[in-house]
Amino acid sequence: MYLYILYKEAIIIKPLQIGDLIAKVPIIQGGMGVGISRSSLASAVARAGGVGVISGVHVGYDEEDFETNTLNANLRALKKHIIKAKENAPKGIIGVNLMVAMNNYEQHVKEAISAGVDLIISGAGLPSKLPSLVKGSKVKIAPIISTSKACKVILKMWDRKEKMTADLIVVEGPNAGGHLGYHKDELKNMDSIDYDKEFVEILKVTKEYEEKYNKKIPVVAAGGIFTGEDVLKYINLGASGVQVGTKFVATHECDASLEFKNTYINSNKEDINLVISPVGMPGRAIHNKFIEKVSANRPKITKCYNCLIPCNPKDTPYCISEALINAVKGDVDNALLFCGSNAYKVDRLYSVDEVISELTCKL
């Protein structure tokens, strides 16, 4: 009976293939900063057969010289965590998530390549320069987009300027955590966003470039995916896989503090609200004392970490770097607690293997 189940799963669960990279299960773990997904979580997911992803946002927040030499600390830590993840999952796939809106984006891309990363996933803006930065390497590239319009723009740009196309496309929906690729008015009226329809349109756009470049470009769904039924739905819709963030936060292997993980476990649906981050981008977070405090009074900004291009310390409502560092360290009352729309459904800590099993149970 056991052998039959293994045989059955081997046939039914179709792996996620990204060029010459093959993930046994079609699950990508979303990149979550600051420090939420580093080498521990990424390597655990990769060992379980998925794609483990390290977030490049202030990945060196706990380096000794982070306060005095922030850029070098982050670049050093990025390389260290990629190498460590690769060592801990020698047969797995390790990616990084690098936001286009980051300061020193190109340096982070080059450092990731030199460290031996397999895949770079990039959003929070259109990664127009990414193909030229990875040329000459085997690193795969994937834009994060939310609309067919954005998909057309980036694939046309890469085709025209670089004679290249994407190796993977991540389609992030409105139920994701962190910064979102939608206007606040759209998110307030969620019924106006037909994500499934947009996803199908993106599949059509992608097909044009698959034919031109004679290659398969897997398209994965992201945002609010929490159950095996969710995964099956998007596989049936034409997805090659899914990207999941929130469900991996509440795992033993997640790099975040236990206090941060417990905010998910202890949250209710009503606690999860839309916020506008200091860089003007809407996001989703758990309501807490910090949100109330910064809504009432603007805190004094004593240091700029030079993290995101749109941020100006003179008029920012609070320092997002400090708020996210507090989150990963466990100072949750003084933290911005980014989460996906289904965070309140988390009821306990899981292992990564348990999460993978739940997500693939319907395949």
Side-chain angles (χ1 to χ4, degrees):
M1 182 67 170
Y2 180 67
L3 290 175
Y4 170 74
I5 292 172
L6 287 180
Y7 175 72
K8 183 179 179 184
E9 286 187 352
I11 292 175
I12 294 178
I13 299 181
K14 187 176 180 181
L16 172 62
Q17 185 161 358
I18 310 167
D20 57 357
L21 304 174
I22 300 176
K24 293 179 182 178
V25 293
I27 308 292
I28 298 174
Q29 162 250 311
M32 296 170 285
V34 167
I36 307 301
S37 62
R38 296 201 296 182
S39 53
S40 175
L41 179 57
S43 61
V45 173
R47 285 196 304 272
V51 178
V53 179
I54 295 166
S55 168
V57 180
H58 282 329
V59 63
Y61 76 91
D62 56 352
E63 294 288 305
E64 287 186 3
D65 59 343
F66 175 75
E67 293 289 336
T68 58
N69 199 359
T70 304
L71 176 59
N72 284 349
N74 282 330
L75 293 175
R76 183 190 322 119
L78 181 64
K79 188 169 188 175
K80 176 176 73 176
H81 281 283
I82 292 170
I83 291 172
K84 187 176 180 180
K86 295 287 288 181
E87 288 174 347
N88 290 339
K91 296 181 180 180
I93 301 172
I94 299 296
V96 293
N97 183 300
L98 299 175
M99 297 171 63
V100 178
M102 293 168 58
N103 277 303
N104 306 296
Y105 172 78
E106 293 186 17
Q107 286 174 269
H108 283 78
V109 170
K110 291 174 182 177
E111 197 68 25
I113 295 169
S114 71
V117 80
D118 297 307
L119 168 69
I120 296 175
I121 299 173
S122 204
L126 292 177
S128 57
K129 296 181 180 179
L130 189 54
S132 63
L133 294 172
V134 302
K135 274 188 176 176
S137 75
K138 294 183 178 180
V139 177
K140 306 300 185 290
I141 55 175
I144 300 176
I145 47 95
S146 296
T147 65
S148 57
K149 180 180 179 181
C151 186
K152 288 176 184 176
V153 169
I154 194 64
L155 293 186
K156 184 176 182 180
M157 183 186 300
W158 285 1
D159 175 45
R160 187 179 72 251
K161 291 186 176 181
E162 306 294 343
K163 308 302 180 194
M164 287 176 65
T165 195
D167 298 297
L168 168 78
I169 292 174
V170 178
V171 185
E172 189 174 83
N175 286 304
H179 289 121
L180 303 170
Y182 296 86
H183 295 296
K184 187 176 182 181
D185 290 342
E186 291 178 302
L187 294 169
K188 283 184 175 180
N189 183 20
M190 291 277 284
D191 292 340
S192 68
I193 302 172
D194 191 340
Y195 174 79
D196 293 358
K197 181 180 179 183
E198 203 69 37
F199 190 87
V200 171
E201 288 302 312
I202 289 167
L203 289 173
K204 293 177 183 177
V205 173
T206 305
K207 188 167 182 61
E208 174 187 342
Y209 291 90
E210 286 183 322
E211 292 172 352
K212 180 168 185 177
Y213 284 88
N214 192 28
K215 63 183 284 187
K216 172 66 177 174
I217 304 174
V219 179
V220 302
I225 294 168
F226 198 80
T227 66
E229 287 83 2
D230 295 333
V231 177
L232 180 61
K233 171 187 172 181
Y234 287 105
I235 295 292
N236 287 339
L237 202 63
S240 295
V242 297
Q243 178 177 282
V244 176
T246 292
K247 205 171 179 73
F248 283 113
V249 171
T251 58
H252 301 290
E253 297 92 338
C254 177
D255 297 82
S257 65
L258 178 60
E259 291 85 356
F260 180 79
K261 298 173 189 180
N262 280 335
T263 64
Y264 282 37
I265 295 170
N266 297 326
S267 67
N268 298 312
K269 188 174 184 179
E270 296 74 24
D271 296 327
I272 300 171
N273 299 307
L274 294 173
V275 297
I276 297 297
S277 88
V279 294
M281 299 169 68
R284 183 172 282 106
I286 296 174
H287 188 81
N288 64 346
K289 291 180 181 178
F290 173 77
I291 295 293
E292 294 176 0
K293 185 165 59 177
V294 298
S295 297
N297 296 293
R298 179 182 182 271
K300 184 178 180 181
I301 309 299
T302 58
K303 176 181 175 59
C304 178
Y305 291 91
N306 198 33
C307 58
L308 300 177
I309 294 169
C311 188
N312 184 347
K314 292 181 180 179
D315 53 26
T316 185
Y318 60 88
C319 175
I320 191 169
S321 292
E322 183 180 1
L324 292 174
I325 290 169
N326 286 343
V328 71
K329 286 184 174 180
D331 184 8
V332 295
D333 286 338
N334 294 297
L336 179 62
L337 308 171
F338 273 148
C339 68
S341 64
N342 287 316
Y344 71 95
K345 294 180 181 178
V346 174
D347 57 358
R348 65 179 177 87
L349 285 179
Y350 293 76
S351 69
V352 162
D353 283 341
E354 285 180 297
V355 171
I356 294 286
S357 293
E358 283 192 9
L359 291 170
T360 57
C361 68
K362 299 297 180 180
L363 300 182

